[in-house]
Amino acid sequence: MAPLWLARPAAAGEPALRLLQFNGLSSNPRKAEAVAWLADAGADLVVVQEVDADWAAALATMPGHAVIESAPRQDNFGMTLLIRHDASDMVVRTWREDLVPGIPALAAELAVGGRRIAVLAVHTLPPVGRDYAGRRDAQLARAAAWVGEQRAAGRVPVVVGDLNASPFSAPFRGLLAAGLVDSQRGFGLQASWPVGHPLPPIAIDHCLHDPALVTAARALGPALGSDHLPVRCDLAWPAGQMP
């Protein structure tokens, strides 16, 4: 755990992208309050997970933002991507990825500072039982392959989402082995789940990025009616390096 506190983040130069990840909980009774906070957080790209029809309707009217890709579902694996209105010119394209059959991931290619950043938003299955654990691991392995595909295409990869894996688990380390940086390094263990539970929380909501980017800032948001806290991550180009 020590590197999460002791590692010194690389010096940040020109800002690249502010990301906001939030597993909003399908049954969240405070959707309007949560949407208001998300709108005011100043994020360029907002990822909301566990999006059902009610969540999709609430997000469609989020002030200052536009939905760029959405896959609402009746179960807990719906998802929506939103872009800030004055950052909308960043968006090159969006698409869906099937990392494993039946569980969609959403992706966006963004033009930032003369380069292309590819963001993959993932919500894995929780590892409750052998089948779910195996499918969770397959999702993370496929995400690692996706990272390599984006690099080969000249894009800078970022993976964000509720990965249902702690930073110390073998499947998570396998994803890092694809050459990604854990944005928690240097900012301490930011335990995002479960909110309001007597057990100690753990970090399962993540932002991982290519070494071509650095983490300029990272913080958890407030409790907003979900069992997860939002994660805000500011990514930047390294100091002294042009994008």
Side-chain angles (χ1 to χ4, degrees), residues 42-69:
D44 301 309
L45 184 68
V46 179
V47 178
V48 183
Q49 298 178 328
E50 293 204 18
V51 171
D52 58 7
D54 290 341
W55 256 119
L59 292 169
T61 60
M62 191 162 107
H65 293 75
V67 173
I68 56 173
E69 189 73 46

Side-chain angles (χ1 to χ4, degrees), residues 143-178:
W146 183 92
V147 166
E149 293 164 6
Q150 301 312 304
R151 286 200 187 104
R155 294 184 282 268
V156 178
V158 175
V159 177
V160 62
D162 174 3
L163 304 186
N164 275 307
S166 83
F168 318 109
S169 64
F172 184 87
R173 292 197 302 269
L175 182 53
L176 288 181

Side-chain angles (χ1 to χ4, degrees), residues 76-161:
N76 291 331
F77 295 94
M79 195 182 313
T80 295
L81 303 184
L82 304 101
I83 197 78
R84 189 166 46 86
H85 281 159
D86 53 2
S88 59
D89 59 349
M90 289 183 180
V91 180
V92 177
R93 65 185 179 117
T94 63
W95 69 101
R96 301 187 187 188
E97 290 278 1
D98 290 322
L99 303 184
V100 296
I103 306 293
L106 301 183
E109 181 180 348
L110 308 173
V112 184
R115 295 192 66 177
R116 299 291 177 91
I117 297 177
V119 180
L120 180 67
V122 183
H123 185 190
T124 71
L125 288 160
V128 287
R130 181 177 299 179
D131 176 60
Y132 270 28
R135 293 174 69 190
R136 186 274 313 265
D137 295 352
Q139 285 175 279
L140 295 179
R142 179 65 190 96
W146 183 92
V147 166
E149 293 164 6
Q150 301 312 304
R151 286 200 187 104
R155 294 184 282 268
V156 178
V158 175
V159 177
V160 62

